[in-house]
Amino acid sequence: MYDLCIVGAGMIGSAAARHASITSGLNTCLIGPSEPKKRSSEEKREIYGSYYDEGRITRCQDKDIVWSHLAQESIKRYRDLEKQSGINFYHEVGNLMIGGEDYLKKTNEVALRNGIRMQNLDNELLNQRFPYLRFRDDTIGSIEMKKAGYINPRRIVEAQKAMAAKQGCTIFDDVVNDVSRIVQSDGSYAMLVKTEGGRSILSKKVLLATGAFTTFRNLLPGFQPDQILSPLVVSLLEVEKTNVKTLRDMPCVIYYGRSNDIWDLPPSHANEDDISFYLLPPIKYPDDRYYIKLGFLGACAAQMRSLADVKLWFEKGDSVWAEHVTKFTASLFKGVKFNSWHADSCVITETPTARPYIDMVHAQLGVAIGGNGYAAKSSDEIGRLAASMVTDNWDSELPREIFKLNHLSHSNKSTFTSLLGKL
C-alpha cells in the first residue's frame, strides 16, 4: 500500500510528487498519461493536458497578491530544479505588463508589497525599447526583467517527474477511472484507485491534480466543485528567420487595456473598449521553427460542459476563431514578417475565488485544481502546498482558507473577501 497516490501527472501533479517524495519513508506514486504523439478524433484517448507546449509566461508581477506570492515561491526554485534534474526549462527574458493606468496601478501596488523589482515605462520609452510593437498613444508599461520570462512546460514536467522518480516515487503511465474509499479487513479506511489500464492501487491518501478532467471520471463521487471550464484560443505565428534577430530582446507581454484602432480585432471584440491577451517572444519549437504565441482571453465565450466538449476542443479547437486571433496577432507588430501559422487549444479551469483549490475533501482525499489560467508559473508552489497539506503539514504564510474547495451549489464570496485582509 502507498502512503500517497497523486492522480494527474501534469505541472501541478508532477510538482506535488517531487515535493512529497522528498519526505523520507513516504511511499508515493504518481499516475497520469504521457503526452500523445498526436491529437486526433480517431484516437480512443479522452484525457489530455494543457502543458503540451514550449512556452508559458512566468513572472512575479501580478494584480493579485496571492498569485504573485505563489509565483515568487515557484520561481526561486527553478534553477535548483534545473541543476538537480539536468533539464533546462527556464528562460529569463523578462515580462512586460502594459495597458491602462488602473491596471498598472494594481500591479505596481502588489510589486511594492512583495518586493518585486521592476521599471515603469511611459509611452515614449515603450516605443523606444520595443519599436516592433504597435502601442496606443496612452499605453504605459511596467517591465520585470529579473526572475521573469517563460518556462517550457513540457520540460518542467519532465524535470519534476525525473526528480520524483529519483527520490523513490513510482510513476504509472495510465489514466485513473475511479477513486473510492473502502473499509479494510481490520476496520481501517483506505483509498482504492482503479485505472484504465486495469491497475488497482491501494493508498492511505489520494491527491487529485486532474485539471479540467476532474469531474469526468469517478474521482469525486458525490461532490461537484464550483468551477467553470473555459476554452482558450491560442495562435502560433512562424517568424521569418531573418526577423528572429530583430525580436531577440523581446520579453513576454501581458496586456489589459483599451483596444487600438489599428489592431485587427476579432469580430466579437471589434466594439469593445477593454481587451486582454498574452504574448510570448519567438520560441524554437520541435519542428525547428520559431513561433510567436498569443492567447486572446475571452475570444471564445463557450463553456465546456462534458467530456465530449473538452475532448473535441483539445483535438480540433475552433479554426475560425484561431484565424481571427492570428490576424490580430500579426497586427500587433510592425516591420515583422510571418510565414505559416497554426492553432492550439487548452482549457482554463476557473473558480469563483479566482484562486486554486488546495483543500481536503475528507481526511484521505485532497485536491489541487482550479488553475484559472495562472497556474503554470506557480505550479511548483501549488504542488508543494498540496503535498504539505495532504501530509498534514501545511507550510505557508498564506492561510489555507483562501484555497478552500467550494461546492457547485454555492460559493461564499463574503468569507473569501474577508480573508484578503489577512494577507
Side-chain angles (χ1 to χ4, degrees):
M1 179 186 292
Y2 290 97
D3 295 306
L4 175 61
C5 174
I6 299 165
V7 180
M11 298 186 76
I12 293 174
S14 62
R18 176 172 77 92
H19 286 287
S21 59
I22 290 173
T23 303
S24 178
L26 189 72
N27 191 13
T28 63
C29 70
L30 173 68
I31 310 175
S34 56
E35 181 179 353
K37 293 182 179 179
K38 63 178 181 178
R39 286 186 250 174
S40 169
S41 56
E42 297 175 1
E43 298 289 323
K44 293 182 179 180
R45 186 187 183 106
E46 293 182 319
I47 306 299
Y48 293 93
S50 290
Y51 69 90
Y52 308 154
D53 190 30
E54 299 296 305
R56 291 285 187 279
I57 295 177
T58 189
R59 57 192 164 86
C60 299
Q61 277 181 297
D62 204 286
K63 62 181 178 180
D64 181 283
I65 194 167
V66 171
W67 280 111
S68 176
H69 176 84
L70 293 172
Q72 284 181 293
E73 292 299 304
S74 293
I75 291 169
K76 73 182 184 183
R77 292 189 290 266
Y78 284 169
R79 292 303 186 198
D80 283 342
L81 177 55
E82 286 185 319
K83 185 177 180 179
Q84 292 165 7
S85 66
I87 298 170
N88 296 324
F89 57 82
Y90 178 31
H91 303 271
E92 202 171 354
V93 301
N95 181 70
L96 175 65
M97 311 286 275
I98 53 177
E101 185 176 348
D102 289 344
Y103 175 68
L104 269 297
K105 182 180 179 181
K106 292 178 182 177
T107 60
N108 288 346
E109 287 173 352
V110 171
L112 180 63
R113 194 167 171 182
N114 278 1
I116 300 165
R117 295 176 61 186
M118 58 178 203
Q119 179 188 1
N120 291 324
L121 304 173
D122 59 20
N123 191 260
E124 183 178 354
L125 283 173
L126 282 174
N127 283 288
Q128 287 176 3
R129 289 189 61 171
F130 311 107
Y132 43 79
L133 290 173
R134 300 179 188 270
F135 300 108
R136 288 180 55 91
D137 292 339
D138 58 355
T139 299
I140 57 176
S142 177
I143 190 164
E144 174 190 7
M145 290 304 298
K146 295 292 184 180
K147 301 180 181 179
Y150 67 90
I151 54 176
N152 183 316
R154 286 186 174 112
R155 292 185 66 79
I156 194 173
V157 168
E158 183 183 350
Q160 299 280 24
K161 290 169 75 173
M163 289 307 302
K166 186 177 180 180
Q167 293 161 181
C169 179
T170 302
I171 300 176
F172 298 105
D173 187 348
D174 208 339
V175 173
V176 173
N177 285 333
D178 186 271
V179 175
S180 59
R181 199 180 196 186
I182 62 171
V183 180
Q184 299 189 93
S185 58
D186 62 358
S188 63
Y189 288 102
M191 300 299 293
L192 176 62
V193 177
K194 295 182 178 181
T195 75
E196 199 173 80
R199 293 182 174 91
S200 291
I201 296 169
L202 281 176
S203 182
K204 293 176 182 178
K205 292 185 178 181
V206 168
L207 174 67
L208 302 179
T210 40
F213 295 89
T214 302
T215 59
F216 298 138
R217 298 292 171 98
N218 191 39
L219 309 182
L220 284 172
F223 192 95
Q224 185 77 6
D226 189 355
Q227 62 184 23
I228 294 173
L229 304 183
S230 299
L232 179 64
V233 178
V234 174
S235 182
L236 292 103
L237 277 77
E238 181 193 353
V239 180
E240 173 69 42
K241 287 189 176 181
T242 56
N243 288 145
V244 172
K245 288 186 178 180
T246 302
L247 303 173
R248 65 184 179 276
D249 66 339
M250 180 179 168
C252 299
V253 177
I254 295 176
Y255 184 88
Y256 282 89
R258 297 170 62 192
S259 60
N260 192 328
D261 292 339
I262 61 175
W263 292 344
D264 191 352
L265 285 164
S268 60
H269 292 70
N271 298 316
E272 290 192 13
D273 290 332
D274 295 316
I275 63 169
S276 57
F277 61 86
Y278 68 82
L279 182 68
L280 282 92
I283 296 174
K284 191 175 183 179
Y285 274 68
D287 63 1
D288 204 34
R289 300 179 183 183
Y290 287 86
Y291 293 92
I292 280 178
K293 186 179 77 170
L294 182 138
F296 196 102
L297 306 183
C300 186
Q303 292 182 16
M304 311 278 97
R305 301 187 184 278
S306 68
L307 178 58
D309 289 341
V310 177
K311 174 179 164 64
L312 183 64
W313 181 256
F314 270 102
E315 291 171 347
K316 291 189 175 182
D318 188 313
S319 59
V320 174
W321 277 112
E323 188 169 358
H324 288 318
V325 172
T326 299
K327 291 178 179 178
F328 169 74
T329 306
S331 73
L332 298 175
F333 291 86
K334 50 186 175 183
V336 178
K337 294 182 179 180
F338 298 102
N339 293 332
S340 64
W341 69 273
H342 67 269
D344 200 356
S345 53
C346 66
V347 176
I348 296 175
T349 306
E350 299 178 274
T351 66
T353 62
R355 306 275 169 72
Y357 290 143
I358 310 173
D359 199 8
M360 299 299 293
V361 179
H362 56 68
Q364 292 176 276
L365 178 62
V367 296
I369 58 176
N372 288 279
Y374 303 111
K377 67 184 183 300
S378 304
S379 58
D380 190 71
E381 178 65 1
I382 295 172
R384 190 190 71 83
L385 288 181
S388 72
M389 171 197 68
V390 80
T391 54
D392 303 315
N393 185 34
W394 183 261
D395 180 23
S396 176
E397 64 186 60
L398 300 175
R400 280 185 62 172
E401 291 87 350
I402 63 172
F403 302 112
K404 184 175 177 59
L405 177 63
N406 291 330
H407 292 265
L408 184 60
S409 58
H410 70 281
S411 59
N412 194 339
K413 293 185 179 180
S414 60
T415 300
F416 168 74
T417 302
S418 68
L419 285 167
L420 294 182
K422 299 180 180 180
L423 302 176

